[in-house]
Amino acid sequence: MVNIKLKAAALLLAAAMAAPTAADGGEKVVPIKYGNMDQWVVRHIKESGIIGGNTKTLYEIGPNRTINGNTAYKNLGGSPWGTSNVMAKVMGVVKTNNSVYREKRGSGYCAKMTTHIESVKVLGLMNIKVLAAGSIFLGDMKEPITGTKDAQKWLNFGVPFTGKPRALRYDYRVQVPGTKNRIRQNGFSRKQTVAGQDYATTVFLLQKRTEDSKGNITAKRVGTMVVRYGKSTGGWINNATYEILYGDIRHNPKYNAATMGLRTTDYARNSHGESVPVRETGWASASEQPTHMVLQFSSSHGGAYVGTVGNTLWIDNVELVY
C-alpha cells in the first residue's frame, strides 16, 4: 500500500509541473488582451491530506476574481492567456504547482515566472522533488492534469489570429544565476546534470494551420521571433521591441536553427476537441496570411523538468506593433 501511495505521489507531482493606440512615428500599437498584467484570477485550492492538506494559491491572467475550491480552471473573461500554474489530480490525490506569480509593479502588476523545485511529502516517508519552470502563453491548459505522459498534450498552444504585425513589444526584467550547466529532476530518477546554461526565453510564431479529415493538424511557418535572455538586467527594460521575420528565414543572418527551426512537439485541440500535435511541415511565403499566433514567455528553455533554480523572468505590457 505504501509503495502504491508513493508512486501515486510521484506521478502527481510530475503531472503538476507539466497563456490600438497610435504611437509616435505613425506606428499602430495593439495591446494583447490582459497583456498589461494588471488583472488576475486568484485561486485557492486545498491539496489532499495525504500530502499535507495545505491550501495553495494559484494565479491566472484574467479578470479580477477569486475562486475558492478545487475547481478545474478554464480561461475567464475572454482571456487568451494560459499559465504553467496547474491543479493535478492523480489517483484521487490533488496537488498544485505555482510557478507564475502576480507581482506589484508601480500602480499595477506584472507577471513573474520562476524556475524552482516543487516537492511533495508522502506520509512523512519520502520527499519527492521536481524541477518546474514558470511560463505564460497564448492558449489554455486543460485541468485537472491526470498523468505525466506527453506532458505537452495538456496545453492548447496558440490562438486564432490573422494579422501580420511588424514587431512584438513588451517590458521585461531578468534575473539568472548564469551557472554553466542545468539540472533535470523529474521525481522518478536521480537529479541529472544537463550541459549548457539556462536561458529565459520568448517565442513568437505565426502559423498557417490546416486540419485534415482525421483531425491531424499541420502548419506552415509564416512569422518568427525568438529571443533568449542569459544575463540579469538589474532592472526593468521598457518598450523592448523585436522584429518579426516573415517567410522562409533560413538564409537570414538573424536565423538560428536551434531556436527558430520548425517545431513538431507543440499540441493544440482540433475541431473535435482532441489534443493533437501541431507539426510544422515547411515555411510559408512572406505574403501568406496566418491562421494562428503562438506566444510564450518562460523562465527556462530546456523543456519539462530541465532548468536552473532561480532563473526568473518578469513580463509586462505585451503589445503588437504594426
Side-chain angles (χ1 to χ4, degrees):
M1 174 64 72
V2 171
N3 286 338
I4 292 175
K5 289 180 179 179
L6 292 175
K7 182 178 180 181
L11 286 167
L12 179 71
L13 181 58
M17 303 304 108
T21 59
D24 292 341
E27 66 184 14
K28 179 181 177 183
V29 178
V30 182
I32 294 179
K33 191 171 186 178
Y34 294 106
N36 63 5
M37 304 299 164
D38 286 338
Q39 298 184 70
W40 291 80
V41 179
V42 181
R43 308 167 63 196
H44 299 300
I45 296 173
K46 185 175 177 60
E47 296 183 334
S48 294
I50 192 174
I51 58 172
N54 297 317
T55 297
K56 297 295 183 67
T57 300
L58 273 62
Y59 298 94
E60 310 290 348
I61 303 167
N64 290 327
R65 190 172 303 181
T66 298
I67 300 175
N68 296 308
N70 297 4
T71 303
Y73 182 75
K74 294 183 179 180
N75 289 17
L76 297 176
S79 174
W81 295 97
T83 77
S84 57
N85 295 344
V86 295
M87 176 180 68
K89 189 174 184 179
V90 177
M91 299 177 68
V93 181
V94 175
K95 176 76 178 78
T96 65
N97 171 59
N98 197 86
S99 302
V100 177
Y101 298 86
R102 177 190 70 179
E103 184 167 289
K104 194 73 176 174
R105 185 189 180 207
S107 60
Y109 295 98
C110 64
K112 175 185 176 182
M113 292 150 274
T114 188
T115 300
H116 69 116
I117 297 293
E118 184 75 22
S119 64
V120 56
K121 294 183 179 180
V122 184
L123 299 174
L125 298 176
M126 183 177 288
N127 186 5
I128 301 167
K129 297 181 178 181
V130 172
L131 184 137
S135 71
I136 61 175
F137 60 93
L138 294 181
D140 61 87
M141 180 83 74
K142 184 178 181 180
E143 283 191 345
I145 307 299
T146 58
T148 60
K149 186 178 180 181
D150 297 326
Q152 291 290 102
K153 74 179 183 180
W154 301 101
L155 279 69
N156 182 35
F157 211 47
V159 295
F161 182 78
T162 58
K164 298 184 74 174
R166 176 181 64 81
L168 178 70
R169 177 177 293 165
Y170 52 88
D171 303 341
Y172 74 93
R173 178 185 168 200
V174 178
Q175 181 177 302
V176 295
T179 51
K180 182 179 179 180
N181 295 313
R182 296 161 284 165
I183 63 170
R184 184 178 190 274
Q185 191 163 357
N186 65 2
F188 295 98
S189 57
R190 290 183 178 181
K191 180 172 66 175
Q192 300 171 323
T193 297
V194 178
Q197 181 186 341
D198 197 12
Y199 295 89
T201 184
T202 302
V203 175
F204 178 95
L205 309 174
L206 295 175
Q207 297 174 327
K208 185 175 183 178
R209 294 183 182 177
T210 303
E211 181 179 332
D212 67 18
S213 60
K214 296 181 180 180
N216 299 310
I217 298 176
T218 56
K220 288 191 174 181
R221 177 79 63 79
V222 179
T224 308
M225 195 291 293
V226 179
V227 61
R228 286 182 175 179
Y229 301 107
K231 295 182 179 179
S232 298
T233 59
W236 281 92
I237 307 298
N238 296 322
N239 297 315
T241 303
Y242 298 96
E243 178 189 9
I244 299 164
L245 306 178
Y246 281 90
D248 186 346
I249 61 172
R250 286 176 292 177
H251 299 293
N252 190 305
K254 296 180 180 179
Y255 177 68
N256 182 325
T259 63
M260 297 179 173
L262 299 178
R263 297 161 66 103
T264 59
T265 57
D266 301 322
Y267 277 75
R269 283 186 212 105
N270 62 19
S271 60
H272 308 292
E274 301 166 333
S275 180
V276 297
V278 178
R279 302 192 183 281
E280 291 188 320
T281 59
W283 302 85
S285 70
S287 62
E288 288 276 13
Q289 185 178 47
T291 63
H292 287 77
M293 172 170 55
V294 170
L295 174 59
Q296 181 183 39
F297 299 97
S298 181
S299 60
S300 290
H301 77 281
Y305 319 126
V306 176
T308 296
V309 173
N311 255 44
T312 307
L313 173 66
W314 292 260
I315 293 291
D316 202 3
N317 298 324
V318 184
E319 302 169 330
L320 299 174
V321 182
Y322 291 83

